[in-house]
Short mmCIF file of all heavy atoms in Angstrom, two decimals:
data_model
loop_
_atom_site.label_atom_id
_atom_site.label_comp_id
_atom_site.label_asym_id
_atom_site.label_seq_id
_atom_site.Cartn_x
_atom_site.Cartn_y
_atom_site.Cartn_z
N ASN S 1 -1.67 16.87 12.02
CA ASN S 1 -2.01 15.46 11.88
C ASN S 1 -1.40 14.84 10.57
O ASN S 1 -1.86 15.19 9.53
CB ASN S 1 -3.50 15.23 12.06
CG ASN S 1 -3.98 13.84 12.31
OD1 ASN S 1 -3.11 13.05 12.89
ND2 ASN S 1 -5.19 13.51 11.96
N ARG S 2 -0.33 13.98 10.61
CA ARG S 2 0.18 13.43 9.48
C ARG S 2 -0.48 12.13 9.06
O ARG S 2 -0.97 11.47 10.02
CB ARG S 2 1.69 13.13 9.78
CG ARG S 2 2.53 14.37 9.84
CD ARG S 2 4.01 13.95 10.13
NE ARG S 2 4.29 13.36 11.30
CZ ARG S 2 4.63 12.11 11.43
NH1 ARG S 2 4.66 11.22 10.32
NH2 ARG S 2 4.88 11.52 12.68
N LEU S 3 -0.46 11.80 7.76
CA LEU S 3 -1.16 10.60 7.35
C LEU S 3 -0.27 9.84 6.42
O LEU S 3 0.74 10.36 5.87
CB LEU S 3 -2.41 10.86 6.59
CG LEU S 3 -2.33 11.60 5.25
CD1 LEU S 3 -2.10 10.60 4.12
CD2 LEU S 3 -3.61 12.44 4.98
N CYS S 4 -0.49 8.50 6.42
CA CYS S 4 0.26 7.60 5.50
C CYS S 4 -0.79 6.70 4.83
O CYS S 4 -1.52 6.01 5.60
CB CYS S 4 1.41 6.86 6.18
SG CYS S 4 2.25 5.80 5.19
N ILE S 5 -0.67 6.47 3.51
CA ILE S 5 -1.39 5.43 2.84
C ILE S 5 -0.34 4.33 2.38
O ILE S 5 0.71 4.66 1.85
CB ILE S 5 -2.13 5.90 1.63
CG1 ILE S 5 -3.08 7.03 2.02
CG2 ILE S 5 -3.02 4.73 0.99
CD1 ILE S 5 -3.62 7.73 0.89
N VAL S 6 -0.69 3.19 2.65
CA VAL S 6 0.10 2.01 2.11
C VAL S 6 -0.71 1.01 1.26
O VAL S 6 -1.70 0.58 1.69
CB VAL S 6 0.81 1.07 3.27
CG1 VAL S 6 1.52 -0.07 2.64
CG2 VAL S 6 1.86 2.06 4.09
N LEU S 7 -0.44 0.91 0.03
CA LEU S 7 -0.97 0.08 -0.88
C LEU S 7 -0.17 -1.02 -1.29
O LEU S 7 1.06 -0.80 -1.68
CB LEU S 7 -1.57 0.87 -2.17
CG LEU S 7 -2.31 0.11 -3.25
CD1 LEU S 7 -3.25 1.13 -3.94
CD2 LEU S 7 -1.29 -0.58 -4.20
N ARG S 8 -0.57 -2.25 -1.23
CA ARG S 8 0.12 -3.39 -1.56
C ARG S 8 -0.47 -4.31 -2.57
O ARG S 8 -1.85 -4.54 -2.34
CB ARG S 8 0.63 -4.26 -0.41
CG ARG S 8 1.49 -5.53 -0.70
CD ARG S 8 1.85 -6.33 0.57
NE ARG S 8 2.14 -7.70 0.21
CZ ARG S 8 2.19 -8.57 1.13
NH1 ARG S 8 2.06 -8.27 2.31
NH2 ARG S 8 2.50 -9.81 0.77
N VAL S 9 0.05 -4.81 -3.60
CA VAL S 9 -0.64 -5.81 -4.49
C VAL S 9 -0.13 -7.14 -4.32
O VAL S 9 1.21 -7.41 -4.30
CB VAL S 9 -0.42 -5.35 -5.90
CG1 VAL S 9 -1.05 -6.27 -7.02
CG2 VAL S 9 -0.87 -3.97 -6.21
N SER S 10 -1.00 -8.11 -4.20
CA SER S 10 -0.51 -9.53 -4.10
C SER S 10 -1.07 -10.30 -5.34
O SER S 10 -2.31 -10.28 -5.48
CB SER S 10 -1.06 -10.13 -2.83
OG SER S 10 -0.75 -11.56 -2.69
N VAL S 11 -0.22 -10.97 -6.13
CA VAL S 11 -0.63 -11.54 -7.29
C VAL S 11 -0.61 -13.20 -7.17
O VAL S 11 0.21 -13.70 -6.35
CB VAL S 11 0.24 -11.25 -8.59
CG1 VAL S 11 0.10 -9.65 -8.82
CG2 VAL S 11 1.61 -11.61 -8.32
N ALA S 12 -1.46 -13.78 -7.85
CA ALA S 12 -1.55 -15.31 -7.77
C ALA S 12 -0.74 -15.90 -9.03
O ALA S 12 -0.66 -15.22 -10.08
CB ALA S 12 -2.90 -15.74 -7.79
N GLY S 13 -0.28 -17.14 -8.89
CA GLY S 13 0.24 -17.87 -10.07
C GLY S 13 1.37 -17.14 -10.40
O GLY S 13 2.39 -16.80 -9.88
N GLY S 14 1.53 -17.07 -11.86
CA GLY S 14 2.65 -16.54 -12.42
C GLY S 14 2.60 -15.01 -12.77
O GLY S 14 3.32 -14.51 -13.66
N GLY S 15 1.72 -14.39 -11.92
CA GLY S 15 1.52 -12.94 -12.14
C GLY S 15 2.81 -12.08 -11.58
O GLY S 15 3.79 -12.66 -10.93
N SER S 16 2.99 -10.88 -12.01
CA SER S 16 4.03 -10.04 -11.58
C SER S 16 3.61 -8.59 -11.29
O SER S 16 2.49 -8.15 -11.80
CB SER S 16 5.13 -9.94 -12.79
OG SER S 16 4.58 -9.37 -13.97
N VAL S 17 4.39 -7.96 -10.49
CA VAL S 17 4.25 -6.52 -10.12
C VAL S 17 5.65 -5.79 -10.28
O VAL S 17 6.60 -6.18 -9.73
CB VAL S 17 3.72 -6.43 -8.65
CG1 VAL S 17 3.44 -4.92 -8.33
CG2 VAL S 17 2.38 -7.21 -8.43
N GLN S 18 5.64 -4.65 -11.01
CA GLN S 18 6.66 -3.99 -11.19
C GLN S 18 6.53 -2.48 -10.92
O GLN S 18 5.54 -1.86 -11.36
CB GLN S 18 7.16 -4.20 -12.71
CG GLN S 18 8.49 -3.50 -13.09
CD GLN S 18 8.92 -3.44 -14.52
OE1 GLN S 18 8.07 -4.04 -15.32
NE2 GLN S 18 10.15 -3.10 -14.78
N ALA S 19 7.51 -1.99 -10.10
CA ALA S 19 7.32 -0.49 -9.73
C ALA S 19 8.00 0.29 -10.78
O ALA S 19 9.19 0.14 -11.08
CB ALA S 19 8.03 -0.23 -8.27
N ILE S 20 7.28 1.26 -11.40
CA ILE S 20 7.73 2.14 -12.51
C ILE S 20 7.15 3.46 -12.12
O ILE S 20 6.06 3.70 -12.13
CB ILE S 20 7.42 1.74 -13.81
CG1 ILE S 20 7.93 0.32 -14.10
CG2 ILE S 20 7.94 2.73 -14.89
CD1 ILE S 20 7.36 -0.18 -15.50
N GLY S 21 8.13 4.49 -11.92
CA GLY S 21 7.64 5.90 -11.87
C GLY S 21 6.70 6.17 -10.72
O GLY S 21 5.65 6.86 -10.87
N ASN S 22 6.96 5.53 -9.66
CA ASN S 22 5.93 5.70 -8.34
C ASN S 22 4.61 5.07 -8.63
O ASN S 22 3.57 5.48 -7.89
CB ASN S 22 5.91 7.09 -7.87
CG ASN S 22 7.11 7.66 -7.28
OD1 ASN S 22 7.98 6.83 -6.69
ND2 ASN S 22 7.51 8.93 -7.39
N SER S 23 4.47 4.26 -9.60
CA SER S 23 3.29 3.46 -9.91
C SER S 23 3.58 2.04 -9.90
O SER S 23 4.73 1.62 -9.81
CB SER S 23 2.60 3.90 -11.20
OG SER S 23 2.28 5.30 -11.19
N LEU S 24 2.59 1.10 -9.94
CA LEU S 24 2.83 -0.29 -10.11
C LEU S 24 2.18 -0.75 -11.20
O LEU S 24 1.10 -0.46 -11.59
CB LEU S 24 2.28 -0.98 -8.84
CG LEU S 24 2.78 -0.63 -7.45
CD1 LEU S 24 1.94 -1.49 -6.44
CD2 LEU S 24 4.18 -1.08 -7.31
N VAL S 25 2.99 -1.57 -12.05
CA VAL S 25 2.44 -2.19 -13.23
C VAL S 25 2.13 -3.68 -12.96
O VAL S 25 3.08 -4.45 -12.61
CB VAL S 25 3.42 -2.10 -14.43
CG1 VAL S 25 2.75 -2.80 -15.69
CG2 VAL S 25 3.62 -0.60 -14.66
N VAL S 26 1.02 -4.05 -13.08
CA VAL S 26 0.58 -5.55 -12.60
C VAL S 26 0.22 -6.28 -13.80
O VAL S 26 -0.49 -5.83 -14.82
CB VAL S 26 -0.63 -5.40 -11.72
CG1 VAL S 26 -1.09 -6.75 -11.18
CG2 VAL S 26 -0.39 -4.52 -10.56
N GLN S 27 0.75 -7.52 -13.85
CA GLN S 27 0.38 -8.53 -14.96
C GLN S 27 -0.14 -9.82 -14.30
O GLN S 27 0.63 -10.43 -13.63
CB GLN S 27 1.68 -8.87 -15.75
CG GLN S 27 1.40 -9.79 -16.94
CD GLN S 27 0.88 -9.11 -18.10
OE1 GLN S 27 1.05 -7.90 -18.37
NE2 GLN S 27 0.32 -10.03 -18.97
N SER S 28 -1.40 -9.98 -14.48
CA SER S 28 -2.13 -11.11 -13.74
C SER S 28 -3.49 -11.34 -14.17
O SER S 28 -4.03 -10.49 -14.85
CB SER S 28 -2.06 -10.73 -12.17
OG SER S 28 -2.75 -11.71 -11.45
N ASN S 29 -3.97 -12.59 -13.82
CA ASN S 29 -5.31 -12.84 -14.06
C ASN S 29 -6.14 -12.97 -12.68
O ASN S 29 -7.36 -13.24 -12.71
CB ASN S 29 -5.66 -14.08 -14.89
CG ASN S 29 -5.18 -15.39 -14.15
OD1 ASN S 29 -4.52 -15.24 -13.12
ND2 ASN S 29 -5.65 -16.51 -14.58
N SER S 30 -5.33 -12.82 -11.59
CA SER S 30 -5.99 -12.91 -10.33
C SER S 30 -5.02 -12.12 -9.24
O SER S 30 -3.93 -12.59 -9.11
CB SER S 30 -6.31 -14.30 -9.87
OG SER S 30 -6.85 -14.32 -8.61
N CYS S 31 -5.55 -11.07 -8.68
CA CYS S 31 -4.68 -10.33 -7.76
C CYS S 31 -5.61 -9.69 -6.67
O CYS S 31 -6.78 -9.50 -6.87
CB CYS S 31 -3.78 -9.32 -8.35
SG CYS S 31 -4.63 -7.96 -9.08
N VAL S 32 -4.88 -9.42 -5.52
CA VAL S 32 -5.70 -8.63 -4.48
C VAL S 32 -4.86 -7.41 -4.20
O VAL S 32 -3.68 -7.47 -4.00
CB VAL S 32 -5.79 -9.62 -3.20
CG1 VAL S 32 -6.43 -8.80 -2.13
CG2 VAL S 32 -6.56 -10.74 -3.54
N ILE S 33 -5.70 -6.26 -4.04
CA ILE S 33 -4.93 -4.92 -3.67
C ILE S 33 -5.59 -4.71 -2.22
O ILE S 33 -6.69 -4.72 -1.99
CB ILE S 33 -5.45 -3.96 -4.61
CG1 ILE S 33 -4.88 -4.19 -6.11
CG2 ILE S 33 -4.89 -2.52 -4.06
CD1 ILE S 33 -5.43 -3.08 -7.11
N ALA S 34 -4.59 -4.37 -1.33
CA ALA S 34 -5.04 -3.98 -0.05
C ALA S 34 -4.52 -2.56 0.19
O ALA S 34 -3.36 -2.23 -0.10
CB ALA S 34 -4.35 -4.92 0.99
N ILE S 35 -5.36 -1.75 0.84
CA ILE S 35 -5.11 -0.30 1.09
C ILE S 35 -5.29 -0.14 2.54
O ILE S 35 -6.41 -0.31 3.03
CB ILE S 35 -5.88 0.66 0.20
CG1 ILE S 35 -5.79 0.42 -1.26
CG2 ILE S 35 -5.54 2.04 0.60
CD1 ILE S 35 -6.62 1.12 -2.10
N GLY S 36 -4.23 0.25 3.18
CA GLY S 36 -4.17 0.67 4.61
C GLY S 36 -3.88 2.01 4.76
O GLY S 36 -3.08 2.69 3.94
N ALA S 37 -4.39 2.71 5.80
CA ALA S 37 -4.10 4.17 6.07
C ALA S 37 -4.20 4.34 7.54
O ALA S 37 -5.18 3.91 8.30
CB ALA S 37 -4.96 5.14 5.29
N GLN S 38 -3.21 5.17 8.05
CA GLN S 38 -3.37 5.67 9.48
C GLN S 38 -2.80 6.99 9.59
O GLN S 38 -2.30 7.59 8.64
CB GLN S 38 -2.46 4.72 10.40
CG GLN S 38 -2.98 3.23 10.43
CD GLN S 38 -4.12 3.05 11.41
OE1 GLN S 38 -4.67 3.94 11.88
NE2 GLN S 38 -4.73 1.80 11.31
N THR S 39 -3.10 7.65 10.71
CA THR S 39 -2.63 8.97 10.97
C THR S 39 -2.02 9.07 12.32
O THR S 39 -2.12 8.18 13.14
CB THR S 39 -3.78 10.01 10.79
OG1 THR S 39 -4.56 9.95 12.04
CG2 THR S 39 -4.65 9.88 9.55
N THR S 40 -1.39 10.27 12.60
CA THR S 40 -0.77 10.43 13.95
C THR S 40 -1.86 10.65 15.02
O THR S 40 -1.55 10.70 16.11
CB THR S 40 0.27 11.59 13.79
OG1 THR S 40 -0.38 12.73 13.30
CG2 THR S 40 1.46 11.24 13.13
N TYR S 41 -2.96 10.89 14.64
CA TYR S 41 -4.20 10.82 15.56
C TYR S 41 -4.19 9.62 16.47
O TYR S 41 -4.55 9.63 17.68
CB TYR S 41 -5.49 11.15 14.88
CG TYR S 41 -6.64 11.22 15.77
CD1 TYR S 41 -6.99 12.47 16.53
CD2 TYR S 41 -7.59 10.14 15.94
CE1 TYR S 41 -8.09 12.48 17.35
CE2 TYR S 41 -8.62 10.25 16.81
CZ TYR S 41 -8.83 11.38 17.45
OH TYR S 41 -9.92 11.43 18.30
N ARG S 42 -3.87 8.41 15.88
CA ARG S 42 -3.98 7.17 16.58
C ARG S 42 -2.60 6.51 16.70
O ARG S 42 -2.46 5.77 17.59
CB ARG S 42 -4.90 6.27 15.81
CG ARG S 42 -6.34 6.71 15.78
CD ARG S 42 -7.24 5.50 15.26
NE ARG S 42 -8.65 5.81 15.39
CZ ARG S 42 -9.31 6.52 14.38
NH1 ARG S 42 -8.80 6.86 13.21
NH2 ARG S 42 -10.66 6.75 14.53
N HIS S 43 -1.64 6.71 15.77
CA HIS S 43 -0.32 6.14 15.88
C HIS S 43 0.76 7.11 15.65
O HIS S 43 0.79 7.92 14.80
CB HIS S 43 -0.36 4.97 14.84
CG HIS S 43 -1.38 3.96 15.04
ND1 HIS S 43 -1.26 2.85 15.86
CD2 HIS S 43 -2.52 3.79 14.35
CE1 HIS S 43 -2.25 2.16 15.74
NE2 HIS S 43 -2.97 2.63 14.89
N LYS S 44 1.72 6.82 16.60
CA LYS S 44 2.96 7.82 16.44
C LYS S 44 3.57 7.63 15.10
O LYS S 44 4.22 8.59 14.46
CB LYS S 44 3.94 7.41 17.58
CG LYS S 44 5.19 8.42 17.57
CD LYS S 44 6.08 8.00 18.80
CE LYS S 44 7.27 8.93 18.84
NZ LYS S 44 8.10 8.72 20.07
N ASP S 45 3.76 6.33 14.59
CA ASP S 45 4.32 6.02 13.32
C ASP S 45 3.10 5.46 12.37
O ASP S 45 2.95 4.30 12.37
CB ASP S 45 5.41 4.89 13.46
CG ASP S 45 6.17 4.78 12.17
OD1 ASP S 45 5.63 5.02 11.19
OD2 ASP S 45 7.36 4.17 12.35
N PRO S 46 2.43 6.38 11.63
CA PRO S 46 1.37 5.85 10.80
C PRO S 46 1.72 4.96 9.76
O PRO S 46 0.99 4.09 9.32
CB PRO S 46 0.72 7.27 10.32
CG PRO S 46 1.71 8.18 10.48
CD PRO S 46 2.61 7.76 11.71
N GLU S 47 2.94 5.05 9.14
CA GLU S 47 3.34 4.22 8.10
C GLU S 47 3.55 2.81 8.60
O GLU S 47 3.11 1.84 7.99
CB GLU S 47 4.71 4.68 7.50
CG GLU S 47 5.20 3.68 6.38
CD GLU S 47 6.50 4.13 5.67
OE1 GLU S 47 7.00 5.18 6.00
OE2 GLU S 47 6.99 3.30 4.95
N LEU S 48 4.16 2.65 9.74
CA LEU S 48 4.37 1.33 10.39
C LEU S 48 2.96 0.63 10.56
O LEU S 48 2.83 -0.55 10.31
CB LEU S 48 5.24 1.41 11.69
CG LEU S 48 5.43 0.19 12.51
CD1 LEU S 48 6.17 -0.86 11.63
CD2 LEU S 48 6.11 0.39 13.73
#
C-alpha cells in the first residue's frame, strides 16, 4: 500500500514561501498550512 503526503503553504499579503533543501522557508504574519494524504487503498494515484 503506497502513500503520499502533500503539504502546501498559503501566505497572505506580502508573505513569501521559498523551497530550500526539501523544506519550505516561510516569511509571513499570516499563513495557512494544509496537509493532505492518501494511499493506494483508496486511490490509484494517491499524489493526485
